[in-house]
Amino acid sequence: MSDIKEVLITEEEIQNKVKELGEKITEDYRDKDLFLLGILKGAVPFMADIMRKIDLDLEYDFMDVSSYQGTRSMGEVRILKDISTSIVGKDILIVEDIIDTGITLSYLTKVLKSRGANSIEIVTMLSKPSRRKIDLPVKYNGYEIEDYFVIGYGMDYDEKYRALPYIGILDESVYSK
Ligand code: IMP
Ligand code: MG
């Protein structure tokens, strides 16, 4: 696609990483009560892939949280869609596409703790450590990347490119349109 400047992570690399993460999670959660919590909409492809690489009984649901008003990062988080079941005693694994400032998940982790989860951990496909504003422990991390704006595998620019099976860097010409 001509809007893509560079493919950063290929479909094959993503799928190998998903398998590797799924195997680790399977080991770590063998005696736990695993609840995968996907964050809409970006985590949908990763969520669908990773749940099928975890060889355990598990439960899953989605939440939609918003940390941005327009383009300005307000450091403010709102729950747009909540889960409907109780998470008391469950081992929550938050599934995210990318962690940037860490504000969204830091807030969400606090909320879930207050609801009585037994444990809360995070699995993310990508992380941009140089952008972090809040220290956030991330147990499972696919790839750490530089501060590029990336799209594909769930991630969007203006709601586009989410369905691409690879992760790419968007061409600057797209921003200036
Ligand atoms: P934060 O960690 O609270 O700053 O927010 C992370 C969220 O911002 C992610 O779940 C994405 O929805 C979005 N985001 C951050 N960086 C990118 C990017 O490079 N491309 C697409 N979305 C991004
Ligand atoms: Mg997201």
Side-chain angles (χ1 to χ4, degrees), residues 81-170:
K81 183 219 170 282
D82 209 333
I83 48 179
S84 39
T85 48
S86 162
I87 58 164
V88 172
K90 306 234 166 109
D91 296 294
I92 308 290
L93 182 56
I94 300 174
V95 181
E96 183 60 300
D97 50 358
I98 183 165
I99 300 172
D100 188 45
T101 63
I103 290 169
T104 314
L105 290 195
S106 159
Y107 167 82
L108 191 59
T109 303
K110 284 195 197 99
V111 171
L112 297 173
K113 265 186 196 139
S114 76
R115 292 183 186 178
N118 182 55
S119 66
I120 301 160
E121 300 290 354
I122 296 167
V123 56
T124 187
M125 178 48 74
L126 298 181
S127 174
K128 293 184 199 169
S130 68
R131 295 260 311 158
R132 212 53 51 83
K133 283 190 186 153
I134 295 183
D135 184 43
L136 184 73
V138 179
K139 186 149 188 198
Y140 308 97
N141 198 159
Y143 293 94
E144 292 199 337
I145 63 166
E146 300 295 308
D147 184 17
Y148 306 119
F149 192 81
V150 291
I151 43 81
Y153 201 59
M155 291 169 287
D156 74 306
Y157 172 70
D158 205 13
E159 292 302 323
K160 282 159 62 185
Y161 315 106
R162 287 193 198 273
L164 295 174
Y166 56 86
I167 294 167
I169 300 174
L170 202 57

Side-chain angles (χ1 to χ4, degrees), residues 3-69:
D3 292 353
I4 312 299
K5 184 167 150 188
E6 187 190 321
V7 174
L8 194 62
I9 306 172
T10 65
E11 181 172 5
E12 192 187 357
E13 286 169 331
I14 291 172
Q15 292 308 326
N16 288 338
K17 186 60 82 175
V18 170
K19 188 164 176 283
E20 181 191 317
L21 292 169
E23 283 166 3
K24 272 192 209 146
I25 293 165
T26 302
E27 285 306 308
D28 294 352
Y29 283 82
R30 225 170 259 297
D31 301 316
K32 298 197 165 192
D33 194 357
L34 179 58
F35 187 116
L36 293 180
L37 179 58
I39 308 303
L40 293 171
K41 295 182 248 184
V44 167
F46 184 34
M47 181 80 160
D49 286 342
I50 199 150
M51 69 171 73
R52 291 173 296 167
K53 297 291 177 202
I54 299 172
D55 188 18
L56 297 172
D57 281 331
L58 60 86
E59 194 177 337
Y60 74 79
D61 204 346
F62 291 93
M63 276 179 88
D64 191 1
V65 287
S66 140
S67 58
Y68 302 113
Q69 300 279 327

